[in-house]
Amino acid sequence: MSHLKYWVWLSTRRGLAGVTMQRVLDHFGGPERVYYAHAKDVDELTGLSGLARSSLKDKSMREVERILDRCDQLGIRVMTRQDAVYPQRLENIPQPPLVLYAKGRPISLDDQVAIAMVGTRSCTPYGERVAGKLAMELTHGGAMVVSGMAQGIDAASIRGALMAGGTVVSVLAGGLDVIYPRYHRFLYEDVAASGLLLSEYPPGTEHKGSHFPVRNRIISGLSLGVVVVESPRRGGALITASHALDQNRDVYAVPGAIDAPASEGTNRLIQEGAAKLVTCGEDILCEWRDRFPEKLGVQPPLNPQVVEQRLQQLEQVQPAPVSPQTAPAAEKEVDNPESMEYIDWKECRKNLTDDEQVVLLALQEGAKGADGLVEHTQRSARQVLAALTMLQLQGYVTQGKDKRFLAAVKLKME
């Protein structure tokens, strides 16, 4: 812990970023040496702004202590570039973040077939559908989806991966305790429960417009390749693609109609040879199967009816501000079990897969955590998490404050 405070201190210096930050680090030989550097040594460095100089001379640890205390309260882990758990893929990119804040499952990111999925917030129904389907196929095939948390393609990609029971990594442009957009609170919780939330910004940091392009280098840096699903001529997704090319990552793009503004950027990437055209998850998985045979073993294709059902559910998830009065049943906590709605089990099961039926029946006996459901149902963790996601989307299941899952309906078995 002793070294950690110096990394956090340096990462919060104002007026320092990118190349300038790395130059300061290289000059002094480490964060602790930067902290103990005399004012005259800081003044001898050329090319620093006045703000950067004054920030480096400020040795107060009050803000650092506040950040670390907040991380302890929220269960946020802190990784620095000298830690063994810090992703090597990220360490090798230009201007890697000094510090990463993490919440969720510990994942060895360098061992994953991580594929980033990005695109415009103002996506079309076509883009949303394609993103969800691609994410399902990639996850089903053994890959891990990396994305942001914006509405549009990001959210569709995350939901598609979760519906397939996948592990998702979402990189944020603000503190892990600052949900943006606010109506994605339950999506945050789903990712934290089954995957990982990451940010280079400490808790309490607002999501500023200037943070998003900077954040995008981390999304591509963690990944082996980047898929651009929909993007206009200019946009954050193309910035991510540019980072990927600079980092020697593969870039893929989904084609769109030649007159569709939302596909102008993706079509241009393909036309210029900067991206490989892809139409399904296998177009990407086949390129990595020889390198990761254990993770990407050939899987039987997803049931088309199940895929279609999930895509229809995805299309029904509309981004809207959530309040206790307007939250969908799937997002509400069931405070009074006696007030729950009774539904006919024969009719209900027509809308559910076998896994979803087994999980919902198990929850009729009482609240259970994900691990408890795995043990009770004898299904894999992936199957249980996928079923829980779909059941929540359909309003059959909710999650309590203690993170256990509860049935939101009572089944009438006769």
Side-chain angles (χ1 to χ4, degrees), residues 81-140:
R81 283 175 56 185
Q82 76 174 44
D83 294 335
V85 293
Y86 187 94
Q88 193 62 39
R89 288 178 191 164
L90 210 53
E91 175 65 26
N92 292 334
I93 71 170
Q95 304 168 31
L98 297 184
V99 170
L100 279 178
Y101 299 90
K103 186 171 185 178
R105 294 172 50 196
I107 298 172
S108 180
L109 295 169
D110 291 325
D111 296 331
Q112 301 296 321
V113 185
I115 303 296
M117 295 190 64
V118 297
T120 179
R121 289 176 173 84
S122 304
C123 66
T124 66
Y126 161 79
E128 183 178 51
R129 185 179 180 85
V130 168
K133 184 171 183 289
L134 270 176
M136 286 184 211
E137 292 169 345
L138 288 170
T139 298
H140 179 72

Side-chain angles (χ1 to χ4, degrees), residues 223-237:
S223 307
L224 298 172
V226 173
V227 188
V228 185
V229 177
E230 264 189 339
S231 175
R233 176 176 290 191
R234 296 181 181 84

Side-chain angles (χ1 to χ4, degrees), residues 309-337:
Q309 179 190 44
R310 291 175 177 176
L311 289 175
Q312 289 176 5
Q313 290 293 330
L314 180 64
E315 290 166 1
Q316 293 170 14
V317 179
Q318 297 297 326
V322 174
S323 67
Q325 292 75 29
T326 62
E331 298 175 346
K332 290 181 180 178
E333 199 171 317
V334 180
D335 296 320
N336 182 9

